[in-house]
Amino acid sequence: MLPHTCILTSGGNVSGAAGRADRTEDGATPGRAHDPKAAAPRRRGPVVAALMMGMALAALDGTIVATAVPQIVGDLGGLSLFSWLFSGYLLAVTVSLPVYGKLSDTFGRKPVLIAGIVLFLAGSLLCAAAWSMESLIAFRIAQGLGGGALQGTVQTIAADLYPLKERPKIQARLSTVWATSSVAGPALGGLLAGYADWRWIFLVNLPVGGVALWLIVRHLAEPARARRTRARVDWPGALAIFSTGTLLLTALVQGGVAWPWLSPPSLALFAGAAVLTAVTVLIERRAPEPIIPGWVWRRRTIAAVNLSLGALGLLMVAPTVFLPTYAQTVLGLGPIAAGFVLSAMTLSWPVTAALSDRVYNRMGFRLTAVTGMSFAVLVLLAFPLLPYPGEPWQPALIMLLLGAALGLFQLPLIVGVQSTVPWAERGTTTASVLFCRQVGQSLGAALFGAVANAVLATRLTEGGLDDPASLTPRAVDTAVEYVFAGAAAAGALALVVLLTLAPRRFPVLRDDDRPG
C-alpha cells in the first residue's frame, strides 16, 4: 500500500507547538518515514503520471479556448457572452477549491479526485455537445467545478506521496506541466479549431482524463483511517463560500469590461460580496467542522503563505496577460513568436524550483522565498528600462530571469506550508493557498487592466484620437511599463508579508502525522 505523506523531520530547534515534537527546517537531516522504500518507489510512478495528466488538463482548459473564440462564435453565436467562457471556468475553479480541500481532509484524497475527474470529463463531453453559447458557458462552469478538484487534490496527493526531502522534485514536475500546458493551450486550441473542429478542444480531454482516472482507481491506495461515527460536512459554509466567491470574482472579472467600475452592477456585486462575507464568517465560526477553519488565518505560517501567494497571483498577470500584447504590438511579432517570448519563463522556473531544496535546507523556507522574490522585484523593475522598441530577446531574457526567481519563491512556500500541518489538515491548507493565488490573479487582472486602460485613454486624449485602433505601439509600451511597475509593487508586498508575518523558521512536523 502506498504510504501517505509522512513528512520528514527537519533538524533544528524543537518547537513544541500543540504538544507535538515538531522541528524547524533549518539544517535538516530528514527523519525516517514509515515504510518509505518498500512499495512507494515501485508504485508511485503510475499515480504520479495520473497527477501530471490531471494537472495538464486543468491548465490546458484554462487557456485552450482563447484562440478558438472566432470559430465558436461563428457556430453558436453569442458574441456578447463569449468572455464568460473564460470567466465561468475561472470562477468555478476558484470558489470550489476550499470546498474540495476540506472534503479531501474529511473523506480522503482518492474519492475527491475521482469525483473531480468524472465531473471534469462529463463537463468536457457536454461542452463538445453544446448547442448554444449559453449552454456552453453552463457546461464550462461544470467543467471548472471538476477542475477545482484537480488543482487542489493533485497538489495535496503529491505532498502525501513524497517526504520533505523528495517533495521539491514532484512539485517541480507539476509546475513544469502546469506552465507548459498553460502556454501551449492557445496554440493547441487554434490548431484544433482551424484544422478540425472547435468541439475537439473538449473531446481531447476524454482519453487523457480516462487514462488518469484508471491509474488513480487502480494504483492510488490511501492508508486505513479510523472510522468516525459520522463525518460532518459544513454544507451551509460551502454554499456561503461559493456564493461569496462568485459575487466577488464576477465583480473583479467583469468590472471595467462588461460595465464601468462605478456602475450599479459593480457596486451591487461588491456590496453583495461584503454582506455574504460577513454571513460566511458567522457560519464558519459556528460550524463544528468549517470549510475554512479559523486556524488557516490564526497560524502565522499559513496566513503569511496565503497572502504571499495571493500577491504572486496578482504579480503573474503582468507577464501572462500583457506581455503577448506587448510582443505583438510593440515588437511586431506574430502570435506564435509572442508566445515563445512568454514561454521563456517556463524554461527556468522548474529548474530553480527543482533545485530550491538545496537552498532552503541551508537557508530555511522563508529566507529562500525572500531571496527569490527580491530578485523578481528587480527583474520586474528592469522591464520599463528596456529600449523602445527593442529586440525580442530582451523581454525573453526578462522572462527567463523572472521564471528563475519565482521558482525559488513559490515552491519553498508550498512545500514549507504543507510540511507544517498533519495529514488531516493538508488538503484544507493546500486549498487555501491555491484559493488565495487564484483570487490574486482575478484581482490582478482587474487592477492592472484598469491601469492599462487609464494609460491608453490618456494617450488617446493627448493625441486627439477617438479610435482605440489608432493607438501607437509607444502607447502600448507605456501602458505595459506601468503594469510591470505595479507587478513589482505586488512583489514588494509579498516581501513585506514574509518579513513581518512569517516565522523565521517554519515548524516542520515529524513523520507520525498519520490519518485516523
Side-chain angles (χ1 to χ4, degrees):
M1 179 168 57
L2 283 174
H4 71 287
T5 309
C6 292
I7 300 184
L8 298 186
T9 303
S10 295
N13 297 328
V14 175
S15 168
R20 291 187 290 263
D22 304 342
R23 298 186 180 182
T24 56
E25 85 278 358
D26 294 4
T29 299
R32 286 172 25 183
H34 72 284
D35 191 24
K37 298 179 181 180
R42 183 176 69 254
R43 299 181 60 186
R44 283 192 306 210
V47 177
V48 170
L51 297 183
M52 295 176 73
M53 291 179 191
M55 183 66 75
L57 289 177
L60 272 173
D61 277 75
T63 60
I64 196 171
V65 178
T67 48
V69 167
Q71 289 82 2
I72 295 175
V73 171
D75 190 8
L76 301 180
L79 178 62
S80 62
L81 300 174
F82 84 89
S83 64
W84 277 99
L85 293 177
F86 315 99
S87 302
Y89 184 85
L90 172 67
L91 290 170
V93 168
T94 304
V95 300
S96 63
L97 275 168
V99 178
Y100 286 124
K102 181 61 177 179
L103 291 177
S104 72
D105 285 341
T106 302
F107 298 107
R109 327 298 193 206
K110 185 173 182 177
V112 173
L113 181 56
I114 289 175
I117 294 176
V118 170
L119 181 56
F120 182 87
L121 295 180
S124 299
L125 183 60
L126 290 171
C127 285
W131 56 89
S132 65
M133 183 62 74
E134 291 81 2
S135 65
L136 180 58
I137 291 171
F139 299 146
R140 280 282 284 173
I141 292 174
Q143 191 187 35
L145 292 175
L150 290 176
Q151 273 200 40
T153 314
V154 162
Q155 293 273 19
T156 305
I157 292 175
D160 286 350
L161 290 177
Y162 287 83
L164 178 59
K165 184 177 181 180
E166 300 177 42
R167 204 167 293 154
K169 297 178 182 179
I170 181 60
Q171 293 289 4
R173 292 179 192 174
L174 293 176
S175 296
T176 302
V177 170
W178 178 269
T180 304
S181 300
S182 298
V183 172
L188 179 59
L191 289 173
L192 291 173
Y195 293 97
D197 186 88
W198 64 266
R199 298 180 190 273
W200 280 100
I201 288 174
F202 306 105
L203 291 175
V204 295
N205 293 334
L206 301 182
V208 178
V211 172
L213 180 61
W214 181 82
L215 290 173
I216 291 296
V217 171
R218 178 70 178 82
H219 295 283
L220 178 59
E222 292 187 292
R225 306 173 63 209
R227 293 184 177 273
R228 297 184 182 182
T229 56
R230 182 180 180 184
R232 296 182 178 181
V233 179
D234 178 24
W235 294 116
L239 179 61
I241 292 169
F242 192 90
S243 302
T244 303
T246 298
L247 288 186
L248 177 60
L249 293 177
T250 299
L252 292 174
V253 170
Q254 297 297 108
V257 179
W259 47 68
W261 282 109
L262 298 180
S263 65
S266 278
L267 296 178
L269 286 170
F270 281 118
V275 172
L276 283 178
T277 298
V279 172
T280 301
V281 171
L282 292 176
I283 292 174
E284 293 297 87
R285 282 183 174 179
R286 297 179 179 179
E289 297 185 15
I291 295 295
I292 301 182
W295 54 259
V296 168
W297 295 106
R298 287 196 298 268
R299 297 180 191 176
R300 290 176 56 197
T301 304
I302 302 175
V305 172
N306 282 345
L307 294 174
S308 298
L309 289 185
L312 173 65
L314 191 135
L315 176 159
M316 285 297 296
V317 171
T320 57
V321 174
F322 292 92
L323 187 64
T325 301
Y326 170 89
Q328 294 180 71
T329 305
V330 177
L331 302 180
L333 302 178
I336 296 178
F340 278 119
V341 172
L342 175 61
S343 65
M345 183 169 61
T346 68
L347 300 177
S348 55
W349 189 316
V351 174
T352 55
L355 297 176
S356 64
D357 62 320
R358 302 183 182 182
V359 182
Y360 66 65
N361 281 334
R362 293 176 178 269
M363 300 170 54
F365 291 118
R366 187 184 77 159
L367 186 55
T368 302
V370 166
T371 301
M373 183 52 76
S374 298
F375 185 44
V377 169
L378 295 177
V379 172
L380 290 166
L381 290 175
F383 186 90
L385 302 179
L386 294 179
Y388 174 84
E391 299 293 333
W393 67 265
Q394 294 167 335
L397 178 60
I398 292 289
M399 290 301 100
L400 191 70
L401 296 175
L402 182 62
L406 295 181
L408 203 60
F409 169 78
Q410 177 178 258
L411 191 66
L413 291 182
I414 292 179
V415 172
V417 77
Q418 288 178 331
S419 303
T420 66
V421 294
W423 186 96
E425 296 176 354
R426 192 170 297 137
T428 299
T429 300
T430 303
S432 72
V433 167
L434 298 178
F435 175 77
C436 290
R437 189 180 65 184
Q438 289 283 113
V439 172
Q441 288 178 336
S442 298
L443 179 61
L447 178 62
F448 293 146
V451 169
N453 288 337
V455 173
L456 294 176
T458 300
R459 293 296 180 269
L460 281 172
T461 302
E462 291 175 351
L465 304 173
D466 57 4
D467 181 9
S470 303
L471 285 171
T472 64
R474 186 65 200 187
V476 174
D477 176 72
T478 303
V480 176
E481 287 178 355
Y482 274 93
V483 168
F484 269 78
L493 177 62
L495 288 175
V496 171
V497 168
L498 287 175
L499 292 173
T500 59
L501 186 58
R504 187 171 66 88
R505 296 181 177 182
F506 284 21
V508 176
L509 297 187
R510 284 184 178 273
D511 300 346
D512 55 359
D513 62 317
R514 303 177 186 226

